[in-house]
Amino acid sequence: MASRSYFYVGGRYEDSVSSKCSYSGRVMTGQMYVEKIVPQSGSWGQPAKQQYPIVFMTGGSQTATNWLNTPDGRAGWASYFLSKGYIVYLVDQPQRGRSPWVPTDGTVSITNVTFVQNFFTSGQKAKLWPQAHLHTQWPGSGEPGDSSFDAFYAGEIQQQTNSTKVAENNINAFVALLDLIGDAILISHSQAGPHGWGVGDRRPDNVKAIIALEPEGPPFENQIIGGGPARPYGLTTLPLTYSPAVKNPALDFKTERVKAKSKDVSDCVLQKEPARKLVNLSKFPVLLYVTEASYHAYYDHCTLAYMQQAGMDVDYLKLPEVGIMGNAHFSFMEKNNMQIAPLLDAWIRKVVRE
């Protein structure tokens, strides 16, 4: 690191009225905290080694600390990409962490210990999906009382419960960030995946590439965590630019359920052909990334099929197919995180043209 700074983007002024608190009056809501870290190759007015910065988009109930280091104190991916000459931007999603939440603007919730254990840190014990037993890479037991688990869960933070408000706030803030800094590479994780699609749809000329680490999915429905209809625009809750245009997703999309080829993976809800195309999201390369033992291993093939059907330029990185085994949903914090990061750097260098 050569320099570190912070600023806020997005946000809007609103009148807040509360009979229980003393802050009634004009307030700002929806703003996003952004931390900029410049590598030594970009110090003292010299350009960074890499032309385009990386914007890390943190997933649900987490903050920018995800990328700084691991729960057991090892270096995180921010350090790795800094060492390769990238400027990095780390953010706390609007209404989370250092991005203020106005208590009259919706409600917030927090994730309990059992959920974090079952889906992130010790899924091999709960075995809620077929691949869960393969999880070996979490640093520690993955249970309360273990220092790595306690450090991770201590950073589990509140988040807005209204998914539409979450999407609107995030996309508006990330668009404001790109309008300020210019072209960038996005690395999104989990719940932030749809935010990446929304930003790419609105600013396709500024997004040079997206690496989607197990983005929220699959298309049109929930699997494993919950069930039932979701993401009415396929990849997102909010509208995306399709051709032909989608005005009413409930009427305009014609879908079909494609049966799974194995009992270890889910069926997929895809468009009937001819499929509508995601015209803006096809303007830059995407890397869809899935680990061996995550719950996403059960259904991310559906997200891939949908992207391909919609005309996106997408590569698929399944870690076990390149010999990286045992990871779950927070792979960038797990024991072999620095075995994975070079693969992403290599992909960026291959597909992004300066």
Side-chain angles (χ1 to χ4, degrees):
M1 183 180 69
S3 68
R4 180 184 183 189
S5 58
Y6 81 93
F7 54 93
Y8 284 82
V9 294
R12 61 195 178 276
Y13 286 103
E14 292 184 353
D15 290 325
S16 175
V17 178
S18 173
S19 60
K20 299 180 180 180
C21 301
S22 61
Y23 56 78
S24 294
R26 200 138 179 84
V27 297
M28 179 180 281
T29 186
Q31 67 269 42
M32 184 171 74
Y33 170 89
V34 183
E35 187 171 326
K36 178 183 180 181
I37 309 179
V38 178
Q40 291 181 0
S41 59
S43 63
W44 304 111
Q46 299 300 313
K49 182 178 178 182
Q50 306 298 335
Q51 179 177 355
Y52 302 115
I54 290 176
V55 176
F56 285 98
M57 306 175 74
T58 309
S61 299
Q62 295 290 308
T63 68
T65 58
N66 274 191
W67 314 104
L68 290 171
N69 53 260
T70 66
D72 57 335
R74 291 171 292 110
W77 279 8
S79 293
Y80 175 84
F81 283 99
L82 279 168
S83 76
K84 298 302 178 182
Y86 294 91
I87 294 172
V88 301
Y89 291 90
L90 310 176
V91 311
D92 288 356
Q93 284 192 22
Q95 302 185 330
R96 188 190 304 174
R98 289 163 289 189
S99 301
W101 170 61
V102 178
T104 54
D105 188 7
T107 59
V108 295
S109 65
I110 195 164
T111 305
N112 64 40
V113 166
T114 300
F115 182 93
V116 170
Q117 288 180 267
N118 288 349
F119 292 99
F120 305 146
T121 65
S122 55
Q124 71 275 12
K125 298 175 182 178
K127 298 179 181 178
L128 299 180
W129 60 94
Q131 297 83 0
H133 70 284
L134 299 170
H135 188 205
T136 60
Q137 292 291 346
W138 184 260
S141 69
E143 298 181 341
D146 177 88
S147 59
S148 293
F149 179 89
D150 293 347
F152 178 70
Y153 190 76
E156 191 78 7
I157 201 164
Q158 81 286 340
Q159 63 179 2
Q160 171 68 243
T161 59
N162 184 317
S163 60
T164 299
K165 187 183 292 289
V166 169
E168 290 172 344
N169 282 338
N170 273 277
I171 293 171
N172 289 340
F174 278 108
V175 165
L177 176 59
L178 291 191
D179 288 346
L180 179 65
I181 69 174
D183 299 345
I185 298 158
L186 309 182
I187 298 182
S188 67
H189 178 235
S190 194
Q191 175 246 16
H195 309 334
W197 310 138
V199 175
D201 188 60
R202 295 192 191 182
R203 294 294 185 271
D205 295 331
N206 294 123
V207 174
K208 309 313 291 184
I210 294 180
I211 297 176
L213 309 174
E214 302 192 342
E216 183 181 279
F220 297 116
E221 64 178 356
N222 286 322
Q223 291 274 6
I224 303 295
I225 299 179
R231 293 167 291 283
Y233 288 88
L235 300 178
T236 60
T237 298
L238 298 185
L240 293 171
T241 303
Y242 282 90
S243 180
V246 175
K247 297 181 179 179
N248 183 336
L251 298 177
D252 294 343
F253 279 119
K254 308 303 179 186
T255 63
E256 60 182 350
R257 183 169 292 277
V258 179
K259 296 295 292 182
K261 296 180 180 180
S262 164
K263 63 180 177 59
D264 291 335
V265 295
S266 70
D267 297 345
C268 301
V269 178
L270 301 176
Q271 297 187 65
K272 290 183 178 179
E273 295 292 349
R276 296 169 187 267
K277 304 299 182 182
L278 286 163
V279 292
N280 287 344
L281 294 183
S282 65
K283 294 181 179 179
F284 51 81
V286 170
L287 179 65
L288 177 64
Y289 161 116
V290 66
T291 68
E292 181 182 40
S294 170
Y295 58 93
H296 278 256
Y298 182 68
Y299 59 68
D300 267 7
H301 64 288
C302 299
T303 302
L304 173 67
Y306 189 86
M307 291 176 173
Q308 293 172 330
Q309 189 182 46
M312 294 174 64
D313 176 11
V314 56
D315 291 323
Y316 194 37
L317 175 58
K318 295 181 69 175
L319 291 189
E321 291 185 354
V322 295
I324 299 179
M325 320 298 283
N327 291 101
H329 192 50
F330 279 82
S331 54
F332 48 87
M333 288 183 166
E334 295 194 309
K335 291 185 288 187
N336 59 351
N337 68 327
M338 289 304 174
Q339 185 183 0
I340 300 168
L343 301 178
L344 308 187
D345 181 36
W347 181 82
I348 292 171
R349 294 170 188 266
K350 181 182 72 172
V351 302
V352 176
R353 302 289 181 258
E354 295 187 359

